[in-house]
C-alpha cells in the first residue's frame, strides 16, 4: 500500500521504544513502586535495548501533597539518581510535565546538571500555546522535548491542523499522537498519523504514538501508525497503565526485527515483578467497561470508578453510558 515505510522483515533505524510503565502504570498504584521494582525495570530496559524510560511525572509539589503519592509523581533529581546514578547506559531518561500541573520554571535544572534527557509535555488542544512556552523553556535548558496532545479523538480537524502548524514551528523534537480514550481504530489512527507526519515534513521532527487498550487495539494501532512512518512508540510492561492500559512492550519486542531488542530479559522481569503486582491487587487491563468508553469516545473515568466498585452489571452500565452519550 502506498505510503507505508519499510516492511515487516526490515529494520528501521528511526524507531525508538519508550517504556512508560512507571508513569502510566503509576496511575494504577498511586506511583507506589518499590525502589527494587524501579531499579530492576531500569536494568531490564537497558538489557532489552529500550531507547527511553519514562520514570513518572514532574508534578507540582505546591499543587499535590507529596505524602499522598509515591515519589514517581514528582521525579526529584535525587530520587532518579538513587536508581540510575549517572545513567552510564545508552538508554535515555524521560519524565512527563503536564501543562498547568507542574512548576516547570523552578523544578527543572539545566540538562547539563540533570540525569533527565527528555521532557514530555502533555497538554489538551486548548493548551497548545502554554505547551509551546514550556517546550521552548526546556529546549533552552538543553533537554529533548515532546508534545503529547491528549484526547485527540475529540479534536476537530481544524484545531488539530492549527496545533500541528504551531508545533512544527516550535523547538519540539517529537509530536505525539495520543489515543487517550482508546477509541481509535487502525484505519483512523493511521490517517491521523499521516496528518502529523505531513505537518512536520522538512522540519526534522519525529512523530510518536501513545495507545490505550480500551478496544484491544493498542498494539494493532501502534504497529499500524508505525508502518506509515511514526518513529517513537510508547509501551508498558504487560500493558500496565491507567484503566485499560497501553500497548504491551513484550508485543513490540516480539514484533520488531531489530537485533538490539531482546524479549528474554523482559519476560524474566514479568515473572519476578509483574505477576506479584497483580497478586497484590493492582488492577489494570482490558475489560468490558473500558470497551464501552472506548467505543463511545469518552474519558474512562466512569469505567475506572465502575472497576473500583467491583461491579459486573455490564449491561446496566452500558445502558447508562448510552443514555448519557
Amino acid at each position: 500500500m502506498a505510503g507505508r515505510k519499510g516492511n515487516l522483515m526490515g529494520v528501521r533505524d528511526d524507531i525508538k521504544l519508550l517504556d512508560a510503565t512507571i508513569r502510566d502504570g503509576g496511575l494504577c498504584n498511586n506511583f507506589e513502586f518499590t525502589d527494587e521494582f524501579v531499579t530492576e525495570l531500569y536494568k531490564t530496559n537497558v538489557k532489552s535495548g529500550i531507547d527511553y524510560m519514562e520514570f513518572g511525572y514532574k508534578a507540582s509539589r505546591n499543587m499535590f501533597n507529596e505524602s499522598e503519592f509515591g515519589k514517581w509523581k514528582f521525579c526529584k533529581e535525587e530520587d532518579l539518581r538513587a536508581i540510575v546514578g549517572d545513567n552510564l547506559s545508552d538508554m535515555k531518561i524521560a519524565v512527563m510535565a503536564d501543562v498547568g500541573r507542574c512548576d516547570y520554571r523552578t523544578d527543572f535544572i539545566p540538562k547539563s546538571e540533570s540525569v533527565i534527557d527528555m521532557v514530555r509535555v502533555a497538554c489538551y488542544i486548548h493548551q497548545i500555546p502554554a505547551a509551546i512556552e514550556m517546550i521552548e523553556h526546556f529546549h533552552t535548558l538543553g533537554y529533548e522535548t515532546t508534545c503529547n496532545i491528549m484526547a485527540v479523538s475529540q479534536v476537530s480537524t481544524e484545531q488539530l491542523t492549527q496545533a500541528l502548524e504551531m508545533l512544527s514551528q516550535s523547538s519540539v523534537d517529537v509530536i505525539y499522537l495520543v489515543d487517550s480514550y482508546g477509541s481509535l481504530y487502525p484505519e483512523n489512527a493511521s490517517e491521523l498519523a499521516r496528518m502529523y507526519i505531513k505537518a512536520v515534513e522538512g522540519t526534522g521532527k519525529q512523530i510518536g504514538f501513545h495507545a490505550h487498550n480500551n478496544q484491544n487495539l493498542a498494539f494493532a494501532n501502534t504497529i499500524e501508525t508505525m508502518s506509515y512512518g511514526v518513529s517513537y512508540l510508547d509501551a508498558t510492561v504487560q500493558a500496565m497503565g491507567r484503566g485499560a492500559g497501553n500497548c504491551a512492550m513484550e508485543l513490540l519486542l516480539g514484533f520488531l526485527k531489530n537485533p538490539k531488542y531482546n524479549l528474554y530479559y523482559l519476560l524474566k522481569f514479568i515473572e519476578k515483578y509483574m505477576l506479584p503486582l497483580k497478586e497484590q491487587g493492582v488492577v489494570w487491563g482490558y475489560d468490558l467497561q473500558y470497551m464501552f468508553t472506548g467505543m463511545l469516545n469518552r474519558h474512562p473515568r466512569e469505567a475506572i470508578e465502575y472497576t473500583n466498585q467491583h461491579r459486573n452489571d455490564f449491561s446496566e452500565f452500558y445502558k447508562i453510558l448510552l443514555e448519557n452519550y
Side-chain angles (χ1 to χ4, degrees), residues 147-277:
C147 184
N148 296 36
I149 311 172
M150 298 183 287
V152 77
S153 56
Q154 291 193 340
V155 173
S156 72
T157 303
E158 183 186 9
Q159 282 181 308
L160 190 54
T161 301
Q162 290 173 352
L164 292 173
E165 192 175 320
M166 292 164 73
L167 285 167
S168 68
Q169 292 167 16
S170 76
S171 300
V172 77
D173 297 297
V174 187
I175 304 172
Y176 262 87
L177 167 55
V178 182
D179 184 14
S180 301
Y181 301 161
S183 64
L184 296 179
Y185 299 95
E187 187 175 7
N188 52 3
S190 61
E191 195 176 315
L192 282 166
R194 283 177 279 183
M195 179 183 175
Y196 279 56
I197 290 161
K198 190 173 182 195
V200 301
E201 249 171 29
T203 65
K205 301 182 190 308
Q206 303 292 322
I207 302 301
F209 185 68
H210 180 89
H212 277 266
N213 203 36
N214 297 61
Q215 300 188 84
N216 259 335
L217 288 169
F219 175 56
N221 287 338
T222 299
I223 62 174
E224 181 74 356
T225 57
M226 184 196 85
S227 78
Y228 284 100
V230 166
S231 302
Y232 281 66
L233 311 178
D234 282 15
T236 58
V237 184
Q238 287 214 293
M240 185 185 187
R242 184 204 65 195
N246 305 104
C247 176
M249 182 63 82
E250 55 271 23
L251 283 168
L252 283 180
L253 288 178
F255 171 77
L256 293 168
K257 301 298 185 287
N258 193 328
K260 82 170 182 173
Y261 296 128
N262 190 311
L263 176 59
Y264 176 81
Y265 300 107
L266 193 68
L267 298 177
K268 296 290 282 185
F269 179 83
I270 289 169
E271 290 169 17
K272 190 167 181 185
Y273 293 99
M274 297 305 291
L275 299 185
L277 263 194

Side-chain angles (χ1 to χ4, degrees), residues 288-289 292 306-307 309-320:
L288 287 170
Q289 62 270 30
F292 303 152
Y306 177 98
T307 306
Q309 292 171 1
H310 305 288
R311 288 169 58 184
N312 57 12
D313 55 337
F314 298 111
S315 56
E316 183 64 20
F317 182 58
Y318 181 54
K319 186 177 77 173
I320 290 166

